[in-house]
């Protein structure tokens, strides 16, 4: 069935890379995706018979999506490649973090009041609601974008927003 290129962690605002299939024999029938690595529920076919799957063919991914290639040769039909994933990891603050503290690979979403008393690092930041405040001397370090669609984002005297990428 072949092997797919490495799993991908993608920060908000970024696009995944192509997924490529190598080491396979037989003819490409299609690609498939599912929301579980075992492909047990909601398997969706992708009409692509090449060994490369582009981001445009992957659809809209909000958390994690799993991909595989389907091949056939002679009497062997539906031979599957290894499974690869594209993940957009997030954690949401309401009264605590839903998926652990954010880091350089995780988008931080604020959906409630938050007071930063220690440096916070995230791949991207989105404020949906609440008053998000970083106390004096505390840094919000984020790799990509900051979006405030509701609520407020405040940096007290000597607090900093550090944006790594333009």
């Amino acid at each position: 069935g072949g092997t797919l290129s490495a799993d991908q962690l993608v920060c908000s605002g970024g696009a995944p890379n192509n997924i490529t299939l190598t080491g396979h024999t037989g003819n490409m029938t299609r690609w498939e995706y599912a929301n579980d690595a075992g492909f047990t529920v909601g398997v969706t076919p992708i009409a692509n018979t090449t060994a490369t799957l582009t981001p445009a063919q992957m659809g809209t991914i909000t958390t994690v999506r799993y991909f595989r290639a389907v091949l056939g040769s002679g009497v062997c039909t539906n031979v599957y490649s290894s499974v690869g994933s594209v993940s957009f990891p997030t954690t949401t603050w309401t009264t605590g973090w839903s998926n652990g503290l954010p880091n350089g690979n995780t988008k931080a979403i604020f959906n409630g009041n938050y007071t930063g008393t220690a440096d916070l690092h995230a791949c991207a930041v989105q404020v949906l609601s609440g008053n998000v405040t970083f106390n004096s001397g505390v840094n919000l370090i984020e790799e990509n974008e900051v979006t405030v669609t509701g609520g407020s984002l405040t940096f007290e005297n000597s607090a900093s927003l550090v944006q790594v990428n333009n």
Side-chain angles (χ1 to χ4, degrees), residues 110 125 127 130-134 140 146 148 150-155 161:
F110 293 94
V125 173
V127 179
N131 297 314
V132 178
T133 302
F134 287 87
L140 170 58
V146 173
V148 180
S152 65
L153 176 60
T154 305
F155 295 90
L161 168 63

Side-chain angles (χ1 to χ4, degrees), residues 18-33:
N18 290 345
I19 298 174
T20 54
L21 175 65
T22 59
H24 65 285
T25 56
N27 299 316
M28 284 287 303
T29 304
R30 68 183 176 279
W31 288 81
E32 294 178 339
Y33 74 80

Side-chain angles (χ1 to χ4, degrees), residues 27-139:
N27 299 316
M28 284 287 303
T29 304
R30 68 183 176 279
W31 288 81
E32 294 178 339
Y33 74 80
N35 293 330
D36 69 306
F39 280 79
T40 58
V41 180
V43 177
T44 303
I46 302 169
N48 175 2
T49 58
T50 70
T52 301
L53 188 66
T54 66
Q57 296 167 321
M58 295 178 197
T60 303
I61 304 169
T62 56
T63 55
V64 63
R65 182 168 285 172
Y66 298 91
F67 296 90
R68 68 183 178 190
V70 183
L71 299 109
S73 178
V75 297
C76 295
T77 58
N78 293 340
V79 175
Y80 301 106
S81 70
S82 65
V83 174
S85 67
V86 175
S87 302
F88 288 83
T90 63
T91 186
T92 301
W93 174 270
T94 50
T95 57
W97 291 109
S98 65
N99 196 22
L101 280 171
N103 59 49
N105 293 318
T106 307
K107 179 179 181 179
I109 301 170
F110 293 94
N111 201 18
N113 293 333
Y114 176 85
T115 301
T117 57
D119 289 355
L120 188 69
H121 191 186
C123 79
V125 173
Q126 182 177 21
V127 179
L128 298 175
S129 68
N131 297 314
V132 178
T133 302
F134 287 87
N135 287 344
S136 180
V138 175
N139 299 307

